[in-house]
Amino acid sequence: MTRTERLLELLQILRAQRYPITASTLSERLGISVRSLYRDIRTLQQQGVCIEGCAGIGYIVKSDFLLPPLNLSHEEINAITLGLNWVSHNTDYAFKNTARKALAKIHAVIPGELKNLIESQSYLTGPSEKNETFFEDIRDAIKNRKKIKIKYCNKKDVFSSRVIWPIALVCMESCWLLVAWCEMRNDFRHFRTDKIEEIVEMDSMYRENRTVLLKKWRIKEGICEGKEY
């Protein structure tokens, strides 16, 4: 991690805090010495970030003059917060953290009168019963266009081994549905993630562009752009 990347990460951590966070905690999370942490704090302060606090007590960002205000309506804030909160409860560990960081960024750049909408959100969400065991593995395979080999149990409780090209995850009411091209069937297939017993990421990438595959799947399913599956 370069120093520039570290400064951005430090700023992001501070933005996400509602209460002061100690230098020792910050230095541990960034993997640097406390002395280096103090230098980074001074650098951000010199660049216009209003960081309050001191050694032994902790630090917190009171305002961030580096970022322009983000103009969103009350209902837009409610919708975004609800969506990000849902992701932060119902996906894998890494994606949950991504959602929390995104929410912290939004909180940092919206006008002060809208911050209360995030801090006292009326639209709440909680954890579901969806199986998230392989969620991160599937996300990585989709992102990197990697083939995966799965052991799958169908609705008749019959097991099969498939090599598939994962292209999308669909959140259904009772489960996550993996959309993929199945080499065995030479066609698109849908797999309930809670019926997947095993996943092995293969070394090879699938040959078609994921966006092209997704478009072909949408056409086959009769799904228009912007329409829910």
Side-chain angles (χ1 to χ4, degrees):
M1 181 186 296
T2 66
R3 186 161 190 259
T4 300
E5 290 171 334
R6 191 174 78 227
L7 288 171
L8 290 172
E9 180 65 16
L10 171 58
L11 183 56
Q12 181 55 36
I13 293 171
L14 288 169
R15 284 178 187 151
Q17 306 304 309
R18 295 188 182 182
Y19 304 100
I21 180 171
T22 64
S24 60
T25 300
L26 287 168
S27 63
E28 183 178 345
R29 289 180 64 175
L30 292 168
I32 59 175
S33 67
V34 172
R35 180 174 294 183
S36 294
L37 187 279
Y38 289 148
R39 285 200 297 267
D40 288 352
I41 291 286
R42 285 195 297 272
T43 298
L44 289 175
Q45 289 172 330
Q46 290 166 1
Q47 291 177 354
V49 182
C50 185
I51 300 175
E52 294 186 1
C54 59
I57 295 176
Y59 297 91
I60 190 168
V61 171
K62 284 297 183 182
S63 61
D64 191 343
F65 299 110
L66 296 175
L67 298 171
L70 184 63
N71 294 315
L72 295 169
S73 70
H74 285 211
E75 285 305 288
E76 286 171 337
I77 290 291
N78 283 331
I80 291 170
T81 304
L82 178 63
L84 289 173
N85 279 334
W86 187 92
V87 173
S88 72
H89 281 99
N90 296 285
T91 55
D92 62 85
Y93 179 80
F95 212 37
K96 287 175 181 177
N97 277 342
T98 298
R100 293 181 185 122
K101 286 181 179 180
L103 190 57
K105 286 181 180 179
I106 293 170
H107 185 276
V109 298
I110 59 175
E113 66 272 14
L114 293 179
K115 293 184 189 292
N116 286 334
L117 286 177
I118 292 180
E119 295 168 358
S120 57
Q121 177 63 239
S122 296
Y123 305 120
L124 306 176
T125 183
S128 71
E129 297 181 358
K130 294 181 178 66
N131 188 311
E132 302 160 13
T133 305
F134 297 114
F135 195 89
E136 186 169 10
D137 297 316
I138 294 169
R139 283 201 309 110
D140 286 343
I142 291 173
K143 178 181 177 181
N144 297 317
R145 232 175 77 209
K146 286 294 187 73
K147 295 182 181 182
I148 57 175
K149 186 176 182 179
I150 64 171
K151 181 181 178 182
Y152 189 72
C153 180
N154 66 17
K155 59 185 178 182
K156 296 181 180 179
D157 293 328
V158 176
F159 287 91
S160 63
S161 178
R162 311 282 189 99
V163 174
I164 61 175
W165 308 354
I167 60 171
L169 277 164
V170 182
C171 181
M172 307 297 285
E173 185 176 353
S174 60
C175 68
W176 283 98
L177 204 64
L178 170 59
V179 180
W181 178 268
C182 178
E183 290 190 352
M184 177 189 292
R185 302 301 184 191
N186 197 34
D187 200 356
F188 293 106
R189 287 292 185 268
H190 304 139
F191 303 93
R192 289 180 57 127
T193 60
D194 58 345
K195 294 292 186 179
I196 297 175
E197 297 290 324
E198 184 179 286
I199 283 182
V200 176
E201 185 177 291
M202 305 179 74
D203 293 331
S204 56
M205 298 171 62
Y206 49 83
R207 59 182 179 271
E208 283 203 59
N209 182 283
R210 190 191 71 86
T211 304
V212 173
L213 283 171
L214 191 59
K215 186 174 182 179
K216 288 181 179 179
W217 170 74
R218 284 181 173 276
I219 292 172
K220 181 184 178 189
E221 296 293 322
I223 303 171
C224 300
E225 292 295 329
K227 180 182 176 182
E228 293 185 1
Y229 176 68

